[in-house]
Amino acid sequence: MRLRQSGASWIVHAPAKLNLFLEVLGKRADGFHELETLMVSVNLFDTLVLRQESSTQISLRCHYAGCVSRKVAADSASASDEVPDGQDNLAVKAAELLKKKTGVDKGIHIELFKRIPAEAGLAGGSSDAAAVLLALNRIWQLGLSRDELQRYASEIGSDVAFFLSESPAALCQGRGEIIRPLKKAPRLHFVIVKPDSGLSTVAVFRQCRPEAKPRGASKLAEYLQRGDLTNAGQHLFNSLQAPAESLNPDVSRLIKEFGRQPFVGHMMSGSGTSCFGVCRHRDEARMAAARLKALRLGRVFVGETSS
Ligand code: C5P
């Protein structure tokens, strides 16, 4: 994630993530689940424009860019991409948390341009929060280390710390907040489809059972680091996919159609409902995307690992 200054404004592009692997290992006393996950960031971005305020208020205005939409028809079962623009927005929570932790008494206005769909398993809100932590550390000259920022990040949400790591791919443990960046990973090309319906993360986790015999992500990490996509494709996994399929028929339909495409591998991301296919080249991804678009399964994105 890079921060750029333009006049009085600071601009940061916040990427989405995909879980190439997500294994639920157990339920914890704090209500969360112990995980092992391998995440990569992808070049589907929200954009945040931050401007210092003379007041000490944190404010946010959300714009719906690209193919996400604020409203859906009242009679539709579709999920809206609308995100909260008050205290419940994770970007606002991040700014408030930094004020509380550091005692700084400054304000900020955030213009948030949403392109990452909500309830998609792509962690758009978490990425926005990480972008705010990174930006305010600079704008407010807080001098916090990456470790300190990652500690604060994990108080906001399990996925936030990943976006502060310098690597586009990482093995994550604990709730997802313990990050081990992969030293090297090939550039991966993806087709991502987000059906109109969404899923609540809480509901999907509630439905899942920890794996009796965990397989672990180390094999996948090894194949990725070697650039062996064929074998990497065989080791994609997500413990949350079966529960998500049982809760949402759109996910089952997507997975079935993805299975008919010549992907290296395919899987649902996070708690859904987005599914992705891994391709060797951008052209391969574009062709698969065109075929999936014709099936009208949802919004189709072509992307790659973001550096
Ligand atoms: O951390 P985050 O706020 O993103 O988590 C949202 C919800 O997902 C949690 O309230 C919890 O129900 C579930 N969750 C979990 N175990 C994790 C991460 C999330 O049970 N490791």
Side-chain angles (χ1 to χ4, degrees):
M1 233 185 255
R2 261 173 250 115
L3 188 62
R4 182 164 62 83
Q5 188 168 18
S6 168
S9 297
W10 293 81
I11 300 163
V12 53
H13 300 295
K17 62 84 176 149
L18 292 173
N19 302 82
L20 302 189
F21 183 97
L22 191 162
E23 190 158 54
V24 176
L25 303 173
K27 181 107 193 252
R28 303 166 22 144
D30 61 7
F32 284 85
H33 291 80
E34 196 67 17
L35 302 181
E36 176 152 78
T37 180
L38 197 157
M39 297 205 262
V40 294
S41 55
V42 288
N43 64 349
L44 165 62
F45 296 103
D46 285 347
T47 300
L48 294 92
V49 181
L50 300 96
R51 210 179 47 238
Q52 286 238 54
E53 290 287 277
S54 48
S55 81
T56 58
Q57 298 295 308
I58 308 294
S59 59
L60 177 136
R61 192 162 58 150
C62 201
H63 309 265
Y64 295 85
C67 47
V68 298
S69 59
R70 185 185 188 115
K71 297 260 181 272
V72 289
D75 61 350
S76 159
S78 305
S80 164
D81 287 310
E82 191 161 3
V83 293
D85 51 12
Q87 299 296 313
D88 287 338
N89 188 292
L90 291 187
V92 175
K93 277 193 179 161
E96 296 288 4
L97 183 86
L98 271 190
K99 282 183 74 166
K100 195 172 117 201
K101 295 284 185 189
T102 63
V104 73
D105 201 18
K106 292 181 178 168
I108 200 82
H109 177 71
I110 306 165
E111 298 279 332
L112 171 57
F113 297 85
K114 285 298 297 177
R115 289 186 204 86
I116 306 173
E119 294 196 358
L122 301 175
S126 299
S127 188
D128 297 343
V132 168
L133 291 180
L134 199 82
L136 290 184
N137 191 32
R138 203 50 190 279
I139 300 169
W140 289 345
Q141 299 181 344
L142 302 174
L144 298 167
S145 67
R146 190 172 297 270
D147 279 359
E148 282 169 307
L149 285 178
Q150 283 186 321
R151 257 202 316 280
Y152 295 160
S154 64
E155 291 186 34
I156 302 165
S158 308
D159 289 336
V160 183
F162 163 72
F163 292 103
L164 295 170
S165 116
E166 271 176 335
S167 168
L171 264 175
C172 310
Q173 288 166 326
R175 279 162 51 213
E177 86 290 13
I178 303 168
I179 315 294
R180 240 184 329 134
L182 256 57
K183 286 193 194 79
K184 185 170 111 190
R187 184 176 291 273
L188 300 170
H189 298 272
F190 300 104
V191 180
I192 305 165
V193 181
K194 164 67 175 66
D196 284 344
S197 56
L199 269 173
S200 129
T201 305
V202 177
V204 178
F205 269 103
R206 201 178 290 137
Q207 193 82 5
C208 89
R209 294 285 160 271
E211 301 297 330
K213 283 192 191 153
R215 54 200 82 199
S218 53
K219 275 222 171 87
L220 172 61
E222 206 180 297
Y223 288 129
L224 282 175
Q225 296 190 94
R226 265 197 238 151
D228 180 347
L229 277 197
T230 306
N231 273 310
Q234 304 293 309
H235 286 80
L236 306 181
F237 179 73
N238 188 345
S239 296
L240 300 178
Q241 185 172 299
E245 286 190 65
S246 75
L247 290 168
N248 186 319
D250 287 347
V251 176
S252 316
R253 172 133 192 262
L254 262 187
I255 289 295
K256 206 166 110 204
E257 294 298 345
F258 270 64
R260 296 190 171 127
Q261 302 297 324
F263 290 133
V264 169
H266 66 275
M267 194 52 55
M268 185 185 81
S269 182
S271 58
T273 49
S274 293
C275 297
F276 63 91
V278 183
C279 302
R280 290 180 190 279
H281 310 288
R282 190 177 301 167
D283 286 347
E284 221 174 84
R286 287 204 181 119
M287 283 190 279
R291 287 191 295 270
L292 289 166
K293 236 178 220 165
L295 297 174
R296 298 178 176 278
L297 299 163
R299 282 163 287 168
V300 180
F301 304 87
V302 174
E304 57 193 55
T305 19
S306 76
S307 43

